[in-house]
Amino acid sequence: MSINSKEDQAAHRQEVRMWRRECSAWSRKMLSLADHGLAEKLGQLDWPSLAAETQRLAAMAQAGRDPLELAAITARLRRLYGEAAQQLQAVPPAAESVESAPQDALQDTPITPTDQLLIAKAIAAAGGDAAPGGGRSRVAGHVAVQEPSGSCGGLLKGFPMSPALLLHLVPAYRKWVGSAAPSWSEIQRACDVVRGHLGIPSQVYGQARAMFGTDGAAVVIGTIAVKHAMLRVGNPAGYLRRMVERHRSGELNLDRTLHGLAAAARSRQRSVGSLRQSPR
């Protein structure tokens, strides 16, 4: 197709960027699902082959310049994810229990006095995760620990949270944040978009903000988004309501899930590092 005018060229570039973003989003979802399926030995799927095909398609999308070809790649990635997710529906899910005790794949991790240092190292090493705008999510040298503001009193139980760390732990927020070192207000805006995608009504979101504080609610909804992507949570709104009730009764142990997310991030980065260092 011939593209002559500057307007046509600009529209073409915008369409290519849009399709590349779609491909990137679906490839991340598929790779996250494959990581979880492989780790938990779920179903009868060939998770390594699915991950390799996803990576191949994602690389094609990054190099592609034809919107029609990129649309076809997006459709293929969506189909891969849909078929894998559908097959997993037949697998008995783990109990959808709220974090009242150590359980599920995100928190089977011993919590030691050195965990806060390890979390800081995970953030400093976050260059392996792509950030919006082609940059890298990185915090150099130190972690700016910022307890979320608001009435979240004791929600994190000493877990050293910051906007950059939350962005690192919650892939769903990255698409909607334009900085690798965001502010809490940027995280909150991303949270509002993501909770809408999760089907969490404004009323339920308002209850969470009243209970956890605005920043605390962003942390809570971020963990729900991760579990939903891993097929651990089928009803995000109902799950959030139960988390509110657990926190009200003093039974919510969100810090365990956050430690598990940090451990998973460290594991992914070690895998990426070993792949980069292996001879070709």
Side-chain angles (χ1 to χ4, degrees), residues 175-194:
K175 184 178 179 181
W176 309 105
V177 173
S179 168
S183 64
W184 276 113
S185 61
E186 290 176 289
I187 292 291
Q188 290 160 14
R189 287 192 292 270
C191 173
D192 197 33
V193 174
V194 170

